[in-house]
Amino acid sequence: MRVLLCPDKFAGTLPAPEVAAAVADGWRSVADGDDLLIRPLADGGPGFVEVLADALDGRRVSVRTVDPLGRPAAGEILLTADGATAYLESAQACGLHLLATAERDPKATTSYGLGLLVAAAVESGARTVVIGLGGSATNDAGAGMLAALGVTPLDAAGAALPYGGAALAAVAALEGAPRLRGVRLVAATDVDNPLLGLHGASNVFGPQKGADWADVLLLDAALERFAGVLEQALPGCPAGLGTLPGGGAAGGIGAAILALGGGCESGIGLVTRATGLDTALDTADLVITGEGSFDHQSLRGKVVAGVAGAARDRGVPCVVVAGQVSTGRREAASAGVTDAYSLVEHFGGEEGGGLAAALSRPAEG
């Protein structure tokens, strides 16, 4: 039997390569004669660079950056062998995992650190910079990133605004020009949410980052004001920025990339091509994928949805392993998922509760 193991990360516990290795160990313990193909995946969020580094013949370069509260953080860029393309991920500078629960406040967190990573990629000589978006703690529509690239948001008096999404309620103009040296930016994301509105960055993702209902309303209004300023001030900014698909990715960083004349590309599609997943799917008898939480968002362009759909198109069964499973069986089946297994349920009978065991010992599950 030829089994393809292609999971995403288990957020907060295991990166995708370790998830794949753990599943492989478990499978070999009961069916050692099977042929296992291991292809860890990512969709633009945490682990994007690590997964691509394993698949591409490139060079990883360490970069000093800052976290969502401005504290020193370690980041990196991945350069292709010819140096023409650089890959980086927003989560290394803006990631929710970089903050303690009490520190999560999207009114104040900034994407400035991502701007430092982009600047390093530009200075490396790359002509295309691909930015993996996902898992962010920010909701500033990339205002911090723009500031690091030389574009400063100002209030009506001409003073530079503080960092964070809430401050954008007072934005009136921009100062400076983006220092991109003609580099093309690409947002790698499988989130199709727009920047604004009921399905926008603030409403959908703000509560996950610490926003209450009043914060959501404030942030959505602030980003609407900022989008208007971006449209007026940046020559390459498309009209209707607040409504464009993908603009809401990573707290609106997608919109900032679009405003700079960049484009959006499917993160899972990009990783699929780099890892040769399509070829592996063509020869598989069974596919095993997974992520930390298999829920309603999983079927909206995430790794699991992409893998399950591709397996279904080939008539290959697809099994999901996850920390938690809350997606309905019928909904999952319609996306191509044959069955789903939860670590929380697996550990459910143990003392201390299934969730605690699943979080502390995910590889054992």
Side-chain angles (χ1 to χ4, degrees), residues 305-355:
V307 170
R312 177 195 57 209
D313 293 344
R314 292 166 170 82
V316 178
C318 178
V319 172
V320 172
V321 291
Q324 299 185 83
V325 174
S326 58
T327 302
R329 184 177 295 272
R330 181 177 299 177
E331 184 181 13
S334 68
V337 176
T338 307
D339 212 340
Y341 296 92
S342 163
L343 292 187
V344 171
E345 292 183 9
H346 173 72
F347 284 118
E350 296 194 9
E351 185 178 352
L355 178 59

Side-chain angles (χ1 to χ4, degrees), residues 52-150:
L52 286 176
D54 287 342
L56 300 175
D57 181 20
R59 177 168 58 96
R60 298 168 81 162
V61 179
S62 297
V63 178
R64 292 182 179 179
T65 185
V66 295
D67 74 4
L69 295 179
R71 300 171 299 203
E76 63 180 349
I77 58 175
L78 173 66
L79 294 171
T80 54
D82 61 3
T85 303
Y87 298 91
L88 53 96
E89 66 185 62
S90 62
Q92 290 185 351
C94 307
L96 193 63
H97 68 283
L98 298 175
L99 303 180
T101 302
E103 295 176 325
R104 297 175 180 179
D105 181 2
K107 300 190 302 299
T109 48
T110 178
S111 58
Y112 187 88
L114 175 59
L116 297 180
L117 293 178
V118 175
V122 169
E123 294 304 315
S124 75
R127 304 311 303 156
T128 300
V129 176
V130 181
I131 306 168
L133 299 183
S136 80
T138 58
N139 201 102
D140 69 349
M145 179 188 76
L146 291 173
L149 294 172

Side-chain angles (χ1 to χ4, degrees), residues 38 71 117 142 153 174 205 279 357:
I38 299 177
R71 300 171 299 203
L117 293 178
L174 300 178
F205 305 112
T279 300

Side-chain angles (χ1 to χ4, degrees), residues 283-303:
T283 62
D285 299 308
L286 172 67
V287 176
I288 300 178
T289 186
E291 61 182 336
S293 178
F294 182 42
D295 54 29
H296 68 283
Q297 291 189 35
S298 303
L299 303 181
R300 293 195 62 183
K302 299 287 188 177
V303 164

